[in-house]
Amino acid sequence: MLIGDVARRSGVSARMLRHYESLGLVRPTGRTESGYREYSSEDIRRIFHVESLRSLGLSLRDVGRALDDPGFTPSELVDDLIRQTRERIAAETELLTRLRRIGAAEPADWEDVLQIVALLHALGSESAGKRQRAALSSLEEVPVPVEALVEAVLSETDPNVAGALRWALARSGDDGLALLAEGLGSPAAAVRKRAVQSIAEIPNGEATALLRDALTDPDIVVRRYAALALGARGVADAVPTLIDMVIEGTNDVDAADALSALASRPALADQIATRLVDHLPQGTVEPSARRRLTQALAGIPGTTASRALADLSHDEDRAVALTATYILGIRDAR
C-alpha cells in the first residue's frame, strides 16, 4: 500500500509517516519499481501501535522503546504518565475556574478583565497584606466573583485578612450563602468555623437558618460562633449554648451580652433567668462558674432574676455575694 493510501486509511498524515520513518519508528518494507514507499500489512499494524501509544501520552522516543526494547517495562512509565496527567488536569481545572470567575464578573472590556485577573492573583498571594488589600478593594474596582471570595475566606488563616474577606463577602449580597453552606458541610472543623463566621455577618433569614443548623455541629467552636450570632438576632435556640459558654468561661462576656439582648423580650427574660439559676446551687459547677452566672444575671430583667440575686447576696461564696449585692444596688438605683 502506497503512502497516500496509508495516510487516508490510518488518519496519519503523509508528512507524519515520513517523520516516523526518519526516526526509525515505522519503515516501509518495500519500494515500488518507481521508487515509491510501499507499506505491508505488518507496517500498517505498527503504525496503529504507534498511534495507540501516542494516545496515552508517550513521547515518540518512548514509543520506539516500547515497541523495540523488550527490557522497557511499562510500569514505571505508566506511573509517570499518570502523575503528569493529574498535574495537567489540575492546571486545566484551575484555568477553567479562573475563566468561569472572570465570566461571572461580567467584565465590560479587556481593562476590566485585567483588573479581575490582578485581584484574583492578589487573593492567592503569599503576602497577607496583598490579600487584605485585594479584599478591601474588591468592591471599589471591578467586583471579585463571589465564588473567589468564598474560597478565599474558607481557607484564610490570617485574622485580619479573614475579617476583610468577610466584610467584602457580606457587602456583595447573599449570592455566597449557598457556597458558605457547603463550607458548613466540610469535614474540616476549621473550614466550618470560617463558614459560620462569614454567615454570621450576612443579615438575612437564609443566613439565620444556616446558623440554626450550625447549632448542632459536632465542633463546639462552630456551635459557639453560631450561638453568639443567633443571640444577636434574637433567636432563643441559642440560649443553652450561650449559658454553657458562661459556665465554661469561653467568650463568657459576649455570651452574657447575647443573653441580655435576648432577655429584652419579656417572654424570654424569666426563661433565661430560670436556666441560669438552675446551674447556681453549690456543687453543681465550679465556684468561678457560679460567679460568672451571677454576673450574667445582671443583664436579665424581671422578678426571677431579681429574686435570685437577692438570695445570692447572702451566698456562702463571698465573691458571689458581693457581686450579687453590687448588681442589686445598680438595679435598685434604676
Side-chain angles (χ1 to χ4, degrees):
M1 189 179 295
L2 299 181
I3 190 169
D5 295 328
V6 173
R8 282 191 296 274
R9 295 193 181 191
S10 67
V12 182
S13 70
R15 181 180 179 184
M16 183 59 75
L17 289 171
R18 294 188 188 98
H19 183 53
Y20 287 171
E21 182 181 354
S22 70
L23 295 175
L25 275 176
V26 182
R27 293 189 179 94
T29 54
R31 293 271 178 172
T32 67
E33 292 181 358
S34 303
Y36 293 112
R37 294 172 177 83
E38 190 169 34
Y39 291 83
S40 67
S41 58
E42 191 62 32
D43 296 334
I44 294 171
R45 180 182 301 176
R46 186 175 173 92
I47 291 170
F48 282 112
H49 287 169
V50 170
E51 292 303 299
S52 295
L53 292 174
R54 282 190 66 201
S55 71
L56 297 178
L58 272 72
S59 67
L60 290 178
R61 176 177 175 275
D62 286 333
V63 168
R65 291 184 65 196
L67 293 176
D68 299 326
D69 182 358
F72 184 51
T73 58
S75 56
E76 182 177 347
L77 181 59
V78 169
D79 288 343
D80 191 48
L81 289 170
I82 290 172
R83 178 188 58 77
Q84 292 177 24
T85 302
R86 284 176 174 162
E87 290 175 354
R88 189 166 61 252
I89 290 172
E92 292 295 323
T93 301
E94 183 180 348
L95 174 59
L96 178 61
T97 299
R98 190 179 306 124
L99 290 169
R100 285 177 50 246
R101 289 174 177 174
I102 292 171
E106 300 180 348
D109 51 37
W110 288 108
E111 184 62 32
D112 286 352
V113 171
L114 291 173
Q115 289 186 25
I116 296 168
V117 171
L119 284 171
L120 291 175
H121 277 302
L123 283 177
S125 170
E126 293 183 2
S127 165
K130 287 183 179 179
R131 297 197 303 275
Q132 185 172 15
R133 286 192 294 274
L136 294 174
S137 65
S138 64
L139 299 180
E140 299 171 3
E141 302 173 9
V142 178
V144 172
V146 170
E147 183 181 346
L149 285 174
V150 171
E151 180 181 322
V153 80
L154 292 181
S155 61
E156 184 57 62
T157 56
D158 185 283
N160 294 323
V161 181
L165 287 167
R166 290 195 298 270
W167 174 83
L169 193 55
R171 281 153 185 78
S172 65
D174 55 5
D175 292 341
L177 277 174
L179 296 170
L180 289 171
E182 293 179 13
L184 283 178
S186 169
V191 174
R192 298 198 302 275
K193 183 192 82 169
R194 294 172 194 136
V196 77
Q197 286 177 297
S198 300
I199 293 169
E201 298 195 20
I202 301 176
N204 64 24
E206 186 180 352
T208 300
L210 290 174
L211 291 169
R212 285 178 187 269
D213 292 341
L215 281 177
T216 61
D217 192 272
D219 186 80
I220 184 62
V221 175
V222 175
R223 296 199 300 272
R224 287 168 179 164
Y225 277 114
L228 288 172
L230 288 169
R233 296 177 189 221
V235 178
D237 294 353
V239 169
T241 303
L242 292 170
I243 291 177
D244 287 343
M245 291 172 67
V246 172
I247 293 171
E248 293 159 9
T250 305
N251 295 107
D252 53 291
V253 174
D254 292 336
D257 287 343
L259 288 169
S260 178
L262 285 165
S264 63
R265 294 161 55 185
L268 282 179
D270 282 345
Q271 294 179 32
I272 294 172
T274 299
R275 284 177 176 268
L276 289 168
V277 170
D278 286 344
H279 291 284
L280 278 166
Q282 292 278 6
T284 305
V285 294
E286 294 292 325
S288 58
R290 296 185 72 243
R291 295 176 199 128
R292 289 191 294 272
L293 288 165
T294 303
Q295 291 167 349
L297 283 169
I300 312 300
T303 56
T304 301
S306 294
R307 284 199 300 267
L309 287 166
D311 292 340
L312 289 168
S313 66
H314 305 290
D315 196 84
E316 295 178 5
D317 187 320
R318 180 168 174 77
V320 170
L322 288 173
T323 300
T325 300
Y326 175 75
I327 294 170
L328 283 171
I330 295 174
R331 290 168 81 99
D332 290 342
R334 290 174 182 169

